[in-house]
Amino acid sequence: MVALIRSVAFAALNLSLILSVCALNFGFPYGSQKVRGVNLGGWLVLEPWITPSLFDNTGDSRIIDEWTFGQYQNPTKALNTLRNHWDTWITEADFAAIAAAGLNHVRLPIGYWAFEVAPGEPYIQGQLQYLYKAINWAQNHGLKVIVDLHGVPGSQNGFDNSGQKMNYPLWHTSQSNINRSNKIIQTIASMFKDTPAVVPIIAPLNEPAGFYGDDVLTVTKQYWYDSYANIRQPYGNATKSNTVVMIHDAFQSQDYWKGFMSPPNWQGVILDTHLYQVFSTPENQRTNSQHIQVACSTQSTLSASPSGLWVVVGEWTPAATDCAKYLNGRGVGARYDGTFPGSTAVGTCADMTGKASTFSPSYKTFLRQFWEAQVQSYEKGQGWIQWTWKTEIADEWSYQAGLANGWIPQDPTNFLYPRICN
């Protein structure tokens, strides 16, 4: 009887979602076809662990994020370095390979500084032409692009991938920061309001730090409301766009978002959740089977989300440790090998990160099993977007390396372990 009630409730939820969006014409059949995608991390927003050479080659240990990359270098030198990186890190060949791998979406992080920089902010601009190139390449290869605002003024989380690493984020503490962010979302919405067939989703902010409590969450929720209005109505009148709005869960449970921006009053909203098992000591202490078990345990929540929204796992990885160089920040060690401040070693990182040519057969088998467990589980929701497409020296995180070395299948529905969660 309980199973029957759950089945009826889930059917009613799906019907509600379908009916609520019937007035909109999305660029992808969300709700009936799974999102299968990959993030283009480290391209238009720098991350030290994805491209450590860009940071090491500066010879300056103060350069730990994109803010300091501009702050502590000659601007011309920094711009030349970035242009070369933008020209080479992602090209049309990558889009062709992503499409050939059976994927249908790319999520493209971009920082606010690509759109505007205030006096005193040392960011180097020039990213927008590459955003437009990405849209054209996606169109050429039948891929959908999620434009993801990955960093905002003051930083929404203090992470280096927000553009500016800091001990406590300041975005939510300043109305000026919020106003600037809203204007950028208006700009992005206007840029892509008539191209939902290629840019069906805008994600107005990556990973706001809801773990700091109501101060951040209250601002974030209002920002989601404002972003919805800015994205849904970009024409300056009552005409609505067909662009889907992807809001991040701010590191809160799906229960927390129950009833928030749900149909029928809001249409075309996806809840983005990021599921990693590497950023705490207990997670690094898990056995391989425990990592797989935890991934499989997400199925029930994803299949009938308490939030009442479509849910996509917008970031995740087959990596099961924090061993990748600079993953926790440039110059910061890993919990797994005990080099992270206050941590106790679980094992050696030599066997867990680097180039795939150094990985043992048993490790590659685990990567395949863990990848499959996550894909099978996340497709109980609306789908998944792996982080990330490529890395310099952390192949365990790389979709490209996984394809080349056998732990990711060329067809993402071709499972060696179809019952791994049973």
Side-chain angles (χ1 to χ4, degrees):
M1 179 61 73
V2 172
L4 176 60
I5 292 172
R6 283 178 58 86
S7 177
V8 170
F10 183 46
L13 171 62
N14 277 344
L15 180 60
S16 172
L17 290 170
I18 291 169
L19 290 175
S20 72
V21 301
C22 63
L24 299 179
N25 183 24
F26 300 136
F28 183 84
Y30 301 107
S32 61
Q33 188 174 335
K34 300 302 181 184
V35 172
R36 297 178 178 128
V38 68
N39 285 273
L40 301 181
W43 185 28
L44 304 185
V45 176
L46 297 185
E47 298 199 31
W49 75 270
I50 296 178
T51 55
S53 70
L54 285 179
F55 291 81
D56 291 343
N57 290 344
T58 66
D60 190 334
S61 61
R62 297 174 299 173
I63 297 176
I64 58 172
D65 52 27
E66 197 151 345
W67 177 283
T68 50
F69 195 87
Q71 182 178 18
Y72 295 125
Q73 292 192 90
N74 176 279
T76 301
K77 177 184 176 183
L79 176 59
N80 289 338
T81 300
L82 286 173
R83 279 181 175 161
N84 180 68
H85 170 67
W86 295 331
D87 281 332
T88 58
W89 185 247
I90 298 292
T91 69
E92 186 167 4
D94 292 291
F95 279 75
I98 290 167
L103 302 181
N104 51 40
H105 281 68
V106 293
R107 180 170 174 260
L108 180 50
I110 193 165
Y112 80 89
W113 53 93
F115 301 91
E116 61 100 343
V117 175
E121 295 178 344
Y123 287 117
I124 306 296
Q125 292 187 293
Q127 298 88 347
L128 285 185
Q129 64 176 301
Y130 297 92
L131 173 60
Y132 283 117
K133 285 184 179 183
I135 304 307
N136 288 332
W137 296 338
Q139 186 170 26
N140 291 345
H141 298 281
L143 292 167
K144 310 299 182 182
V145 178
I146 300 169
V147 177
D148 160 53
L149 189 59
H150 218 69
V152 285
S155 177
Q156 72 277 17
N157 51 35
F159 302 160
D160 57 13
N161 57 57
S162 73
Q164 187 176 16
K165 187 176 182 180
M166 55 180 64
N167 291 329
Y168 183 78
L170 299 176
W171 169 71
H172 66 286
T173 68
S174 162
Q175 190 61 47
S176 173
N177 290 340
I178 297 164
N179 292 344
R180 291 173 68 191
S181 304
N182 281 324
K183 288 181 180 178
I184 290 166
I185 293 303
Q186 290 172 352
T187 298
I188 296 172
S190 180
M191 289 167 65
F192 302 115
K193 64 183 183 295
D194 297 318
T195 56
V198 188
V199 185
I201 297 178
I202 294 172
L205 187 57
N206 177 66
E207 296 185 342
F211 45 79
Y212 283 118
D214 286 342
D215 286 351
V216 174
L217 288 168
T218 299
V219 172
T220 296
K221 285 186 282 190
Q222 184 58 52
Y223 181 71
W224 292 156
Y225 287 130
D226 293 341
S227 294
Y228 181 90
N230 289 330
I231 294 168
R232 182 64 66 244
Q233 295 182 289
Y235 295 98
N237 54 41
T239 303
K240 295 182 179 180
S241 77
N242 292 302
T243 309
V244 172
V245 182
M246 176 178 271
I247 63 171
H248 187 259
D249 64 13
F251 303 100
Q252 304 303 297
S253 70
Q254 291 181 43
D255 285 297
Y256 177 87
W257 297 102
K258 184 176 182 179
F260 184 82
M261 292 179 70
S262 57
N265 293 328
W266 288 267
Q267 302 181 13
V269 180
I270 288 177
L271 185 65
D272 176 20
T273 190
H274 297 172
L275 300 180
Y276 292 115
Q277 296 188 41
V278 301
F279 291 112
S280 72
T281 296
E283 289 171 319
N284 277 272
Q285 291 172 337
R286 289 173 184 161
T287 64
N288 287 352
S289 61
Q290 287 172 332
H291 280 294
I292 291 169
Q293 182 181 16
V294 169
C296 294
S297 71
T298 64
Q299 291 191 8
S300 59
T301 301
L302 290 171
S303 65
S305 172
S307 69
L309 299 170
W310 287 329
V311 180
V312 170
V313 181
E315 291 187 21
W316 61 279
T317 176
T321 74
D322 66 341
C323 284
K325 180 181 178 180
Y326 299 162
L327 181 65
N328 296 304
R330 186 181 182 199
V332 181
R335 298 168 185 84
Y336 190 81
D337 67 1
T339 56
F340 185 88
S343 65
T344 301
V346 177
T348 174
C349 279
D351 302 326
M352 298 295 180
T353 192
K355 303 302 289 184
S357 59
T358 69
F359 295 172
S360 68
S362 62
Y363 184 38
K364 291 180 181 178
T365 296
F366 164 69
L367 290 173
R368 176 65 179 253
Q369 292 173 332
F370 193 28
W371 185 91
E372 289 198 14
Q374 291 184 86
V375 166
Q376 291 172 36
S377 297
Y378 303 158
E379 291 203 3
K380 298 297 184 181
Q382 295 303 315
W384 49 270
I385 309 165
Q386 183 180 318
W387 191 278
T388 184
W389 173 241
K390 61 185 293 191
T391 60
E392 283 185 340
I393 56 170
D395 280 357
E396 70 275 18
W397 284 79
S398 168
Y399 205 104
Q400 183 185 62
L403 289 170
N405 293 279
W407 66 80
I408 297 178
Q410 192 66 36
D411 176 352
T413 66
N414 182 18
F415 299 126
L416 292 179
Y417 307 96
R419 299 181 63 82
I420 194 165
C421 286
N422 296 341

